[in-house]
Structures are given as C-alpha cells and as structure tokens.
C-alpha cells in the first residue's frame, strides 16, 4: 500500500471515536451561522484533546488515555441511502487528485520519470535488474513517500459514512449536547424542549435512526452567549440557574462572537476550519439539502442520481466499452451499449465549483483567538467532567451486570460441561454454520452487553479489556451461530489485539480473514467486509507483510463496485512495489487493472494516472501489444479529459512503433488518431502546422534534382541520357564525369582550373558532396524525391502533398556582391507542384517527387513536406489481396477523416574525421542539398542523336547526325564535347573541303570521300598530304576536348542545328560505355554559374571483324644507287568475324600509309585478281614497298594503294580524323609509359644511344580500309571500316588491336588467340617487376645492326669450266649504306669462316681474294661500293655472306662495336661447263 500521513495506530483510533450528538435551538444555530459555520462545524477543529486523560477501569486501575478525539455531529434521523454513499465516495475520490504536473509529461522516450510518488524518481530502465536496484534504493530512502490522498479521503469518508448497525455500538451516540442561546426569552424552557425532543428521538419507535449507546444518554447543557450582542449579566444569571438545576458538571456557558462581523484589515485570524470543511463539503453540498438548519435536520438523499457507473460512458463522440477485459483492445465502432453521462459530468463540474466556493468563504469571522481558546476549553471540560465520567460509570455498570446476570452461570456451565465431557467440542467451519445472519438479540441480552462494554473500552483505548470482552463475546456468538455478531467480534478482537501496548500477543490475522469471509459470503455485507480489509491491510502493511496485504486487497475486488475495486487494486500495486524485492511487473499489471476499474467507475483522471504509471514499466521491453493497449487507453482517457496534447502523443506512440497489431486494429488506431488530431487542430486553426508521425520519411535517402526531366526517344531521335532520378548513383561513374568536366574547364581556362570551380551536380544524394550550396537556375524546376515508408498494414492516403520552403530573394547580378533586395515573398516567387493524391499501400516504401519552380534569383531553403494524412474506405478488404486492386489514382473513397500537418526534412551531414579533434569527438559536417542558390537565367542545351547505332563491327565507320537545340531564352556559345574515347567519333575536319557533303541516308552511299580511279593507277600509290592541326590534333592541345563546329559558334534561343557525326567502332570486341560531356557557356558572364554541361552515355556493342598485323624491314635491294632508303611492309589480314552480324565476307578495298618520312610506293607480288576477299577465318598477306618521302615538313604524306575502282581519300574526313585520333591516343599512352623511366646518364651516352636507336625507328602508319556486305531484312547493306597499325620499329610486329602482353610473350600469338576465343571470361593477372629507373646504357644488338645496311651484288648463277681452269673467280660488289645521321667508322673483315658443320654441308667453302680487311668512314647517309673477288675450287651452292662488318660512331672510342649481321644469306650457284 502507499504511504499514509497517519500511522496505523492513529488511523484506527481516529476511525473509532466516541460520538456526541448536538441538538441546537434555532437561535443558537443563528449565532454560529455568523461565522458561516454550524455548531458541529464550529467545534470540529477543537475536538482532539491536547493533554492526557485519566479514568479508572472496573478493577479500579488507573487508565491513561492519550490523544483522545471525539466527534460532535448534528442529529440526522434518516440513515444514509446506499446510492447516496456511493455518490459521496465517488465525489470524494474525484475531487482528490495528485499534484499538477505529474501526469502531463509521462509519455516520453528514453529515460523517464517513474511517477509512483509525489517525488518523481529518475530511473533509466531498459532492464528489470536496474529497476530492482532503483526501487530497493527508493524503498529504503528517507525521501520515499508515495502517498495516495484520494485513497485516504475515500477511506475516511467511507468509515464516517457507515450507517450504525445493531450488532455493534461503535457508531452509536454516547452523549448529546443541548445548545441554547442566551438571547432567547426563556433559555431554561428551551433546554427542556430540547431534552424532551432528544428523549422522543431516542425512545420513540417513530425514529429508528440514529442509534444510541445506552438508554440513559448523557445530556450536556450548553448555553451559547454572543459577546458582541448579548447581555453578559443575563447569561451569567441563566448559567447560575442551570448549575443549580443540572449541576456544575452537566452544563457550560460558552461565550463566542467577541467582535462584530466586520473584520479588521490589519488583523489576520487563522482559519482552522478550512481543512475539515474541504473534506466535508461534499456531504454538506451534495448529500443533504441546502435548506436552513432546523432543530431536527431531516435530510433526504433521494435526489441523488443513479450512479450508472457500470454502464458504458460516451463523451464527445468517443465511446468506451468497459465490459471487455482490461487488456483487450477496445474498438471504436462498438457504440451499441453506450450511456450518455453528460449529467454525471455536470454534477462533477458543479462539485468542483462548490469546492471553490466553500474554500473561498471565510470562516470564524466573528471569533477571536480568545474565542478559539474558549471553544477548546469547552471541549476539554465536556470530556473531563461529562463524557469520560459517564463512560467510566457505564463500563462499571455493564461489568457489574455481566458478573451478576450471566458471567458466572455461563462460565460455571461451560466448565462443568468440559469437565464431564472429557473432550473438546469440535468447532464447526464457517461453511458448515447455519446462515443465521438475520438473528437479532434483544437489547438487554447479555451477549450484547458484553459487546457494548467491549466497544466502550475500545473507544477509550482500553484495548486489553476490550480484547477480553470481544473474545468472550465471539465465543458466545459462535455458539449461538449469530454470524454477523461473531464476525463483528472477531474483527474488533483482532484490532484490539494489535493495538494492545507492549504487544502481548501477535496480530491474529486469521480472525480478520474469518470476519471478511463471513461478512462477504454469509452476511452479504460488502461494506463491513471492506472495512475489515481496510483495517487489516493497514495493519499488515505496518508489519511489512506486503504480500499478505496485497492478497487481501485483491480478494475483495468484485464486480459490484468498480470504485472500490480500483482503489484496492491500486493499493495492492503499491504493496508489490514496497516489498523487500520489488515486484515491478506486478505493480504495473495491477495498475493497469486499477486504471480499467477507475475508467468503469467514471474516474477518468485516476484511470489516466494509473495507465501512465504502468506505461513506464512496460515501455521499452518489447511488449508491443501491451504498450499499444496502454497508449491507446491513455490517448482515449486524455481525449475525454480534453488533454488533447497527451492524447495526440499517446496515439502517436502507437503509430510510430513497429506495430504487431492486425490490420483492422491498426486501422482503428489510425482513425482514432486522426479524429483526436482533428479536434486539436480545430482548437487553434491559425496555429502552426503540427508534426505528423506518418508516414515515415527516410531523410538520408532524400534526393534533389535540378533541371527538366529528360525527353524520351522519338523514333530515330534519341535524346542524350544526361542524368535523371531514375538512374542509380555510381561512385566510379561520378568520378569520371568530374574528371571530364575538370579537363574541359582546364582547356577553356588555358590549362588552369579556377579556384572557385565547383563540379556540376545535377542530382544530389547521400553519396554526393553536399558541403557546398548547390546551384539552381531560375525558371528551371527543382525536384525533391522524398522516400516515404508506411509501417502500417493499412494504406495511407496523402492528399495535397507539396513541399514546404522558405525563400530569400537576392540579385546576384548586382555590382555589390549580391546585396539582398527587400521584396515581398509571395507565390509569384516560387511555384510549387501539388500532388493531389498519393497512396502508400501497406508496409510499402514509395518515392514522391515534388517540384518547385523558382521565378526569381535568391536563396531557397526546402524545409519539409506538408500534406493531408487520411485513410481510405474498404481497407479491411485488402487483407490477403494485392493492395493495388481497386486503388487506382483518382478513385480513392475518403472516409471523411484527414488532418493537415507537416514533416520536416532534416538531413544529417557526414561524420567529420579529418582533424584530431574531429576524430576524438562526434561532429557532423553540413548537408546543404536542400538549400540551393537560384542563379540567373542560363542557356539550356538539348542534344538528340539521329541514326545512332547500338552495334558496330570493330573498326567500322558509321555516319550519324547530332541535333543541338537551345531550349532556353539565352544564346549559348563555346560548345565543346569531351570524352575519354576521342577516337570513337568525329565531327569532321576544320575546313569544309576536308569534310564530305552529308549525303541522304541511302544504303550504298559511302561515309568516305571517294574519287573514281582509272585502271592504270592500280597498285601504284596516289599521294596527298594533310596537317594534324586541321583535325584538332595540334601540338599542345587536348585531343579529348573537341570543339563542336556550330555555325557562327553561337546557338540562338529556340534554334537547332544538325551536324554529321562519324563513329568508329572500338578495336576490342564487347560492350563499351562511352561518355560524352557537352560543355557550353552563356554569352553573358555570370558570377555564380560560369558554364553548364550535358551528359550522354552511349552503349556500343562491338563484334569481331578483321585482325591486322604488320611488320616492316629494310630492303636489301638498292635500286636507286644514290638512295639506299626503301623498306618492305608486310601486312597480315585475318577475318576473325564469327558471322554474328550477318557478315559474309570482307573486301580489302584500299591500304593507305601516312607518315612524315615514309610512304607506300607500290604493292609487291599482287595477284591477278585485284579483289581481295576474305571469308570467315581466312587470312591474307600483302607486301608493299615503302620509300622515303621527299618533303620533310610538318605535314603528313598520305599514300593510297587502291584495290578497286574508287579511291578513298585518306587525307580527308573521316579517315584522317580517326587516324589522327588513334595516333594521338597512342602517343599519349607511350608518352605516359616513357615518363616512368627517367634517370641521369652521361650526356655523351645519351646522345650516342639516341643516334643508334634512331636508326631502328620508323614512323610509318598503315590504314587498312575495308568493306563488308551484310544482308539484313532482304536488303544488302555495305559496311565500311578502317584499321590502323602504327609501325615504330624495324622488324617488330605491330597490331591493329591492343595486346595483352603478359601472357602473349609466353604463349605466342596463335596460342594466345586460341585462349582468347575459348575462354573470353578469363582474366589474367599481370605481375610487374619494378624496372630500373635509368635508361639502358648500351643499345641492343638489333638496334646496332641497323647502323650500316650492306648489300652484295653478284650473279645468281656462274658457269665455269673447271677442266680448263681449276680456280673460279667471281666479281662481287659490296654496297655499304650509312643509315644514321652521324659519321660511322666501318671495318670489313673478309677472314671470317663459318664454323657450323651444318653450314659447311649445305653451302661449302670458298675464299675471298685480295685485301681481306677494309677500314672506311661513311658520312651521314653516304653509300659506298667495294669491288671484291670470290674464289671457288668446285661446283656447288655457296653463301657469300661470310663477311663481318664492324661499325662504331666516329666520335666514340670503342663503345658499341658489334658485328653487323646480314638479314638473309647470299647464295650463288657455281656450275661446271
């Protein structure tokens, strides 16, 4: 039980006090009414004696009475009606409420206050052990005082309002005060009348109520004198007459009203009556009529309304069906058995009003402190001289009667019976006893006299004698089977045993249990049983037997009284929490039960308090169904009490937690919440929009998109992909776009990226860099994608959904750095899109895209979303069915319940982790994606691709068109496109001559510029020249950044232009994503936004076509004696197409070369069939002769060798474009690799190495052009293409496609190709060994062998007659050519012999005649001739290449000297004739 203000002894003593009746004349009542008090009310604050009182018991022993209190009441001749008592008790509990502020903020999250006492106790409780420790500490704390004043008020009023009964005398009047005013004409006669009236009330059969203790009731005569108005002499004379008539101990002169009714403002008299009158004002205001006081207050309580508390109560449109189990969730739809309690609520309201009125009325205004002392002295005199002597005398008389009349004979008979029977008579159990609760004893019965004596002893605190008498009476009543009397004796015997000083015997709790069971089950008297429980529970609590007390309290809960059950359950809950080991969950559970019964009893505030206290225990334990029930009830009760904020908070908790309720229950919760919220918003319609709990918003998933939505494809027109909210974020791709933009910005700004450069971000999300304010453009929409999630199993319907924003206009074009203009911010500033209906199905996550249209520059802040939250009808039908059925947009059926509210978008920035302070603390950076800056108007470009292919052959050339459209109101300029793959596309050369005219899109029109050739020029090279500058690949320029050739370099508003675009299929097969970034600027420069970009990603799938390889070597033939520079170029072409694209065969139509130093001269060994066709997996080999060019400028010389009737001019677009682009990308790749090897070597070494290496270098590039015929849809299409081979080194094979070098060296070319074809998904790891950081100090043998080119001129066959002459001499000419750009010292040694036996067997041996060693110096590019003679002795085949040539640079000593090996054997046949 909760702590009480009084101790248990004080409580019991004050519950049973001697009752004194007061009978006043009308004049006496008028005197007391001057103080707004009746006579009984006047003396009430002074009815407790301040000093000890002595009296003697029947054994003449002195007995001390401490702290005695008496009760003086007006005589009421009608017993209180049960309905009136229930109403009285209900009002007492209703008025007594806990201190304000304990309930208001209970519904919180996280740590919370456990309001189980007047002092809130802080408890952080996710776990029971923490609770246990907290409550143990709480229980032992000196500050702990969990009081329940409503229970104490109820208990006090209940005990005071109990009607007097015949089986006990505790509520019977012991004495009667007769009060007469001294101002009456004949006071003595008035005393006589009052005395007669009292006698008539007591002894006449007309009045059954009140009850009197003994027939000879003590009469005490009180003369009331008004000091301010009456004559004191007359009062004294009347008092003297009274003393002579009634004796000095039977009368008293009480002087009051020592001053007038006008109280001095300077004097403050205490008001001791207010605390008593507040407790009793319910009785005086409600239970009794408000008529003027009469001598006999004939009060009638029949006007009370029927309590009706067990019925349902419906208030303000909310029904309460309280017949369900406390933990069964209520349904709002159950309104069938509702009871309109408006009258009851009005009664309660008037009760509060009367309390305020009575508490505000001053009492005792005519009384001084002296009068207070006189009243106190009067009560003491009455008690000392009148009441106690009368009680002492009565006890003696009763004791004497008992001894003489009954005590001895009954005791003697009982002793004799026991002696002769020899055994104890077995006692009958309560259930076996006959129901004799209706048995009545006559007033003079000895059993009643014992009970009367016991009650008198109990009232004067003589508990030992009282216990003895009760015990004796108990036996007699049980023997007579008078169960009502026996139960009363058991009850008081138990209390007397507990109250005996020194505790001679333990408290007989079983007495109380028997009494309670008898009252409840046999006598059917719940009031007496309740009194037993209240007394026994308080006693058990004082002995720390909280478990027994709780069981006792719970036992008396029943359906006949909800108020009593609620109070007892609440006290039982407090017992559980006061135990040595607090039982918190039992406390909470019984608080729930108590709250349910309070609610049934109409005590809404107490019900709400109980649920709130229990909620603190259930919260956070994962018991979601219990939490839902409690929150639902709290919300309902709060709404009934018009605590709308609490109601909203409670219903909000139900909705925001992950509910495990079925769909129907969740729908009920939601409708109830909407109803309550609607009432809240109606109270303050002009207030700020409330925060709505549903649906959930994933703030971090919010995305912001700047710009218009992408246009869909129209026929052959395909819009640029750009960026949209439908695309997933890719970190790698985003980084690539940023690099491309930085690249083009650097080119525009002459190689420097500006410090204020901010990468363009059209779509902001949780992965993008949101630390800077994003830029939006005026008149272009800002789209915000909000991620909504519906946690419920019922659909949510959002209507009139739009964004909530704040805008500050600013003019960024002003000269004063963006000064703010004071402009009224209206709807013309920002236009907002409103979504009329947005349905979120059960447990669905759905994105809403909301747009804002800024019409002026400034700073925009997107704050959140605003919408109407509602439900749709027929949600019950959706259980187990696809939610989309029947829920199409625009066809929702409202149930009329929706509320308007908002939710804020608050996005937390990224965790900072840069500095030491940030690493050691938790700090978050800003996230400004919702705070864009609206800048001035900018041009807006749209790009469309026409006839853009999705599949190409490797190396295929395809012509498409690009349309550029300016859809804004500003002209755009400086249009550029940047891509990581510039070799993929071209817009043509810089001059119109180089760009072929755009033909109509017919089948056989070539994308190349062609010229018809005559048959005489076949196999001979056709020359032309071009500069790389004409194709955008100049020195120092970035080939990735391509200028788009717009007419006049400007695209006006609304204008469009179509440009041809040639595409070149990538050399590797597979799927290629090629990114284009279009860059453009406004003609007018802006401070915030300097440029704009447009993105496009082209996806091209390439399939195999041709595999081209080429090698170049020096020709040994020196046709032009003056010029020794000619080379042989071998081109290997293989058809590796797998016929996937329907390609049947490839035709090699032309082979072109382009170089600054070399050109193809003619084809060697060309077959008669000039048409080079390659079917699937066929391979062809071409050989060409290349000679050095005559011009040595910066221009490239193009040489075309045509195999057909049409020459493709390779120096024009698009052939030259793609060649120069592939050339620049190759140069860039090799330049990056060469930068890896840097070192410091001696200058002379560097120069020598460079000269020697240069001899091995060639700068010859081969372009193989082809056509392929494809049959598609019964049409024959001609596909064109070109492959590039860049030849750098003599003797080294070059390829038209990138090589995977790591395994190619190991496996060889053919094996590598087989491996590629068989398992294309295999990926090989390549391990790199770190190379030396310095350049190689010695050239390789291959490089040295190319310093000097040698050639032997001799007859292939020589006839000689060995019969005539045994020695055969053959003249041989040795040609030496210096291939380097420096002077070379050459040594020719003819003494070399072949040592290999195989060579001897094959070729035989011969001898050189004449000088065997020559030393020469060859100037730059010089050719020298030596005449030699070879001597043979027999016929055969001989190899003349046995000479050795040593060479070194003229300015070097001996470094780099090595043998110059011939490239092929020089065979001669010697015949005999």
């Amino acid at each position: 039980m909760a702590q009480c203000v009084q101790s248990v002894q004080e409580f019991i003593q004050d519950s049973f006090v001697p009752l004194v009746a007061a009978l006043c004349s009308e004049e006496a009542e008028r005197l007391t009414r001057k103080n707004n008090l009746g006579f009984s009310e006047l003396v009430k604050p002074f009815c407790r004696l301040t000093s000890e009182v002595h009296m003697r018991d029947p054994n003449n022993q002195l007995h001390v009475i401490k702290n005695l209190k008496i009760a003086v009441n007006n005589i009421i001749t009608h017993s209180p009606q049960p309905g009136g008592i229930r109403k009285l008790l209900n009002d007492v509990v209703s008025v007594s409420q806990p201190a304000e502020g304990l309930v208001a903020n209970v519904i919180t999250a996280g740590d919370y206050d456990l309001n189980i006492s007047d002092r809130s106790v802080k408890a952080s409780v996710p776990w029971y052990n923490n609770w246990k420790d907290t409550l143990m500490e709480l229980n032992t704390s000196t500050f702990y005082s969990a009081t329940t004043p409503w229970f104490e008020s109820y208990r006090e009023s209940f005990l005071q309002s109990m009607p007097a009964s015949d089986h006990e005398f505790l509520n019977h009047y012991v004495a009667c005060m007769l009060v007469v005013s001294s101002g009456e004409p004949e006071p003595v006669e008035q005393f006589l009348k009052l005395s007669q009236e009292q006698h008539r009330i007591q002894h006449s059969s007309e009045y059954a109520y009140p009850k009197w203790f003994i027939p000879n009731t003590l009469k005490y005569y009180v003369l009331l004198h008004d000091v301010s108005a009456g004559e004191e002499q007359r009062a004294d004379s009347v008092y003297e007459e009274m003393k002579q008539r009634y004796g000095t101990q039977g009368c008293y002169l009480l002087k009051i009203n020592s001053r007038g009714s006008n109280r001095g403002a300077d004097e403050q008299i205490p008001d001791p009556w207010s605390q008593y009158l507040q407790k009793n004002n319910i009785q005086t205001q409600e239970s009794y009529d408000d008529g003027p006081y009469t001598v006999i207050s004939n009060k009638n309580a029949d006007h009370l309304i029927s309590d009706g508390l067990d019925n349902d109560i419906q208030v303000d449109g909310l029904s309460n069906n309280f017949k369900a189990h406390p933990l069964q969730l209520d349904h709002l739809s159950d309104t069938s058995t509702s009871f309109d309690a408006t009258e009851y609520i009005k009664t309660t309201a008037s009760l509060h009003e009367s309390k305020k009125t009575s508490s505000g009325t001053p009492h005792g205004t005519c009384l001084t402190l002296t009068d207070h002392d006189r009243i106190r002295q009067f009560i003491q005199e009455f008690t000392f001289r009148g009441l106690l002597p009368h009680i002492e005398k009565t006890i003696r008389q009763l004791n004497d009667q008992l001894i003489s009349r009954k005590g001895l004979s009954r005791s003697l008979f009982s002793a004799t019976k026991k002696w002769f029977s020899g055994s104890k008579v077995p006692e009958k159990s309560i259930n076996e006893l006959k129901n004799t609760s209706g048995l009545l004893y006559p007033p003079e019965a000895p059993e009643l006299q014992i009970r009367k004596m016991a009650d008198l002893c109990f009232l004067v605190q003589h508990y030992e004698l009282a216990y003895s008498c009760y015990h004796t009476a108990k036996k007699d009543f049980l023997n007579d089977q008078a169960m009502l009397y026996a139960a009363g004796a058991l009850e008081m015997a138990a209390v007397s045993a507990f109250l005996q000083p020194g505790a001679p015997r333990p408290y007989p709790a079983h007495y109380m249990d028997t009494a309670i069971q008898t009252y409840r089950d046999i006598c059917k008297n719940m009031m007496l049983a309740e009194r037993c429980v209240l007394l026994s529970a308080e006693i058990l609590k004082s002995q720390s037997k909280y478990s027994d007390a709780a069981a006792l309290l719970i036992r008396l809960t029943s359906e006949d009284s909800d108020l009593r059950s609620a109070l007892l359950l609440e006290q039982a809950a407090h017992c559980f929490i006061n135990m040595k080991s607090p039982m918190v969950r039992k406390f909470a559970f019984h608080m729930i039960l108590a709250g349910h019964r309070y609610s049934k009893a109409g005590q809404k505030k107490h019900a709400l308090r109980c649920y709130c206290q229990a909620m603190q225990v259930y919260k956070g334990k994962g018991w979601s169904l219990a939490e839902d029930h409690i929150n639902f009830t709290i919300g309902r009760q709060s709404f009934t009490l018009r605590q709308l904020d609490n109601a909203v908070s409670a219903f909000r908790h139900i909705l925001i937690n992950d509910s495990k309720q079925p769909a129907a229950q969740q729908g009920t919760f939601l409708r109830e919440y909407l109803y309550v919220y609607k009432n809240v918003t109606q109270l303050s319609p002009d207030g700020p929009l409330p925060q709505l709990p549903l649906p959930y918003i994933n703030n971090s998933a919010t995305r912001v998109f700047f710009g218009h939505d992408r246009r869909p494809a129209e026929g052959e027109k395909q819009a640029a992909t750009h960026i949209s909210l439908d695309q997933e974020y890719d970190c790698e791709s985003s980084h690539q776009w940023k690099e491309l933009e930085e690249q083009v910005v650097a080119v525009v700004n002459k190689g420097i990226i500006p410090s204020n450069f901010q990468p363009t971000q059209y779509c902001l999300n949780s992965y993008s860099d949101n630390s800077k304010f994003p830029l939006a453009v005026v008149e272009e929409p800002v789209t915000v994608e909000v991620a909504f999630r519906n946690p419920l199993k019922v659909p949510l319907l959002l209507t009139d959904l739009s964004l909530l924003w704040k805008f500050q206009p600013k003019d960024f074009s002003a000269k004063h750095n963006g000064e703010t203009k004071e402009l009224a911010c209206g709807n013309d500033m920002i236009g907002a899109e409103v979504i009329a209906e947005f349905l979120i199905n059960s447990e669905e996550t759905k994105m809403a895209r909301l747009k804002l249209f800024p019409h002026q520059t400034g700073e925009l802040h997107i704050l959140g979303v605003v919408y109407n939250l509602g439900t749709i009808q027929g949600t019950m039908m959706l259980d187990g069915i696809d939610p989309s059925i029947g829920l199409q947009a625009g066809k929702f059926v409202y149930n009329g319940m929706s509320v308007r509210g908002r939710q804020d978008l608050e996005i937390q920035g990224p965790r900072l982790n840069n500095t030491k302070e940030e690493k050691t603390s938790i700090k978050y950076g800003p996230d400004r994606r919702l705070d864009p800056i609206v800048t001035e108007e900018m041009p807006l470009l749209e790009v469309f691709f026409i006839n853009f292919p999705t599949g190409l052959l490797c190396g295929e050339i395809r012509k498409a068109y690009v349309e550029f459209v300016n859809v804004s109101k500003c002209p755009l300029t400086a249009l550029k496109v940047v891509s990581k793959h510039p070799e993929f596309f071209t817009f043509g050369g810089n001059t119109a001559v180089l760009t072929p005219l755009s033909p109509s899109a017919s089948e056989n029109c070539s994308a190349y510029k062609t010229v018809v050739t005559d048959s005489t020029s076949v196999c001979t090279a056709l020359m032309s020249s071009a500069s790389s500058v004409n194709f955008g690949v100049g020195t120092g320029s970035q080939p990735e950044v391509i200028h788009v050739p717009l007419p006049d370099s400007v695209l006006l508003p609304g204008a469009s232009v179509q440009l041809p675009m040639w595409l070149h299929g990538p050399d590797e097969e597979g799927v290629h994503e090629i990114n284009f970034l279009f860059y453009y600027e406004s003609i007018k420069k802006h401070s915030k936004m300097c440029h704009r970009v447009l993105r496009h990603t082209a996806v091209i799938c390439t399939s195999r076509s041709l595999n081209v390889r080429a090698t170049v070597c020096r020709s040994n033939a020196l046709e032009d004696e003056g010029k020794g520079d000619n080379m042989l170029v071998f081109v290997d072409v293989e058809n590796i197409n797998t016929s996937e694209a329907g390609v049947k065969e490839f035709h090699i139509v032309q082979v072109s070369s382009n170089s600054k130093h070399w050109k193809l001269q003619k084809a060697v060994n060309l077959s008669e069939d000039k048409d080079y066709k390659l079917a699937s997996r066929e391979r062809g080999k071409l050989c060409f002769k290349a000679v050095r060019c005559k011009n040595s400028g910066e221009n490239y010389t193009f040489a075309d060798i045509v195999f057909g009737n049409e020459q493709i001019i390779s120096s024009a677009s698009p052939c030259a474009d793609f060649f120069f682009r592939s050339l620049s990308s190759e140069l860039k790749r090799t330049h990056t690799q060469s930068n890896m090897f840097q070192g410091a070597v001696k200058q002379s070494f560097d120069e020598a190495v460079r000269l020697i290496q240069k001899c091995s270098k060639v700068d010859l590039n081969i372009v193989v052009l082809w056509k392929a015929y494809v049959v598609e849809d019964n049409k024959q299409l001609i596909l064109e293409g070109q492959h590039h081979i860049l030849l750098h080194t003599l003797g080294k094979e070059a390829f038209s496609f990138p090589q995977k070098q790591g395994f190619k060296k190991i496996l060889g070319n053919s094996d590598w190709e087989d491996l590629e074809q068989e398992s294309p998904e295999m990926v090989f790891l390549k391990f790199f060994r770190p190379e030396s950081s310095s350049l190689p100090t010695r050239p390789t043998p291959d490089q040295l062998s190319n310093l000097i080119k040698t050639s032997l001129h001799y007859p292939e066959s020589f006839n000689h007659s060995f019969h005539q002459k045994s020695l055969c001499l053959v003249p041989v000419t040795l040609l030496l050519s210096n291939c380097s750009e420096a002077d070379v010292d050459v040594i020719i040694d003819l003494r070399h012999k072949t040592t290999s036996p195989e060579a001897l067997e094959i070729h035989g041996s011969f001898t050189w005649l004449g000088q065997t060693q020559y030393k020469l110096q060859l100037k730059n590019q010089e050719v020298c001739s030596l005449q030699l003679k070879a001597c043979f002795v027999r016929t055969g085949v001989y190899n003349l290449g046995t000479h050795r040539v040593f060479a070194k640079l003229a300015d070097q000593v001996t470094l780099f000297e090595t043998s110059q090996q011939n490239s092929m054997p020089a065979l001669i046949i010697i015949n005999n004739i």
Side-chain angles (χ1 to χ4, degrees), residues 69-86:
K69 177 185 176 184
I70 65 172
V72 179
N73 297 327
N74 291 330
I75 293 181
I76 301 171
T77 57
H78 285 269
S79 62
Q81 299 296 319
I85 293 176
R86 285 201 301 271

Side-chain angles (χ1 to χ4, degrees), residues 1353-1368:
H1353 284 226
Y1354 56 89
E1356 294 182 3
S1357 176
F1358 192 83
N1359 297 325
H1360 178 70
S1361 174
F1362 286 95
H1363 300 288
Q1364 299 176 3
K1365 195 173 183 178
S1366 59
L1367 294 180
C1368 175

